[in-house]
Amino acid sequence: MFSGASAINLDTKGRIAIPKRYREPLHACHNSQLVITVDIQSSCLLLYPIQEWEKVAAKLALLSDTQPTERAIKRMLLGYAHECELDGNGRMLLPTPLRQYANLDKRAMLVGQLNKFELWDEAAWQQQIEQSRLAILNEDLAANERLADFSL
């Protein structure tokens, strides 16, 4: 499971290097294969190890092609999905349309989200963190059934 936020850079070819601490698990458990797609609710990318993506794809297959919102979700996630493999140096190329979607240029943040990573433009990540902090502060956590018993 992936956690933590890592500052990374895009090189001039549009490649990122996955931090070393994630490379061995990705190689051993997922044969260094990932699928990158867009996040449908934020301006970031989602990086799934191949087995985790297969679970998402199975859920997408159950969505309707005639219901507009379901079809739109399938179109976005599958239309942008790109399979890739880490090279020997732990790098992967981000296709131009994906870089454009997330406004990725040079500095980025790779954020572990248990079964996947989010990839953010560094400035957008800082804004997202502040928005998340304010949302939590303004929420009555005890009134939220799923968070009422959540403690750290």
Side-chain angles (χ1 to χ4, degrees):
M1 293 288 141
F2 309 112
S3 62
S6 302
I8 60 174
N9 292 315
L10 277 79
D11 68 14
T12 56
K13 296 179 181 178
R15 296 177 300 191
I16 60 168
I18 298 295
K20 288 183 181 183
R21 68 179 186 207
Y22 301 124
R23 292 180 196 172
E24 181 54 35
L26 287 170
H27 178 70
C29 300
H30 307 286
N31 203 25
S32 298
Q33 296 182 328
L34 295 133
V35 173
I36 312 167
T37 192
V38 297
D39 185 313
I40 58 173
Q41 296 181 315
S42 299
S43 292
C44 70
L45 303 179
L46 303 175
L47 286 69
Y48 288 92
I50 192 71
Q51 288 88 346
E52 292 298 323
W53 174 254
E54 289 169 355
K55 294 174 189 177
V56 173
K59 292 177 187 178
L60 289 170
L62 298 174
L63 296 179
S64 171
D65 284 333
T66 58
Q67 201 287 331
T69 303
E70 292 181 25
R71 187 171 185 186
I73 289 171
K74 286 174 69 171
R75 186 175 290 128
M76 291 289 292
L77 292 175
L78 294 171
Y80 275 103
H82 180 81
E83 293 183 28
C84 63
E85 186 172 344
L86 297 180
D87 70 12
N89 294 317
R91 296 175 304 191
M92 59 189 289
L93 177 66
L94 300 175
T96 301
L98 291 170
R99 291 195 315 263
Q100 290 172 341
Y101 182 91
N103 299 310
L104 294 170
D105 184 31
K106 178 73 175 141
R107 299 172 57 102
M109 295 296 293
L110 185 72
V111 183
Q113 294 292 296
L114 299 178
N115 68 329
K116 65 182 176 290
F117 296 99
E118 293 178 347
L119 183 62
W120 290 84
D121 168 75
E122 186 178 57
W125 170 248
Q126 296 303 325
Q127 291 174 342
Q128 181 61 50
I129 286 297
E130 182 58 19
Q131 290 172 2
S132 296
R133 187 183 73 77
L134 293 173
I136 292 167
L137 286 174
N138 292 323
E139 175 77 20
D140 179 5
L141 300 181
N144 183 319
E145 186 176 306
R146 292 175 51 90
L147 294 175
D149 293 327
F150 184 78
S151 66
L152 299 172

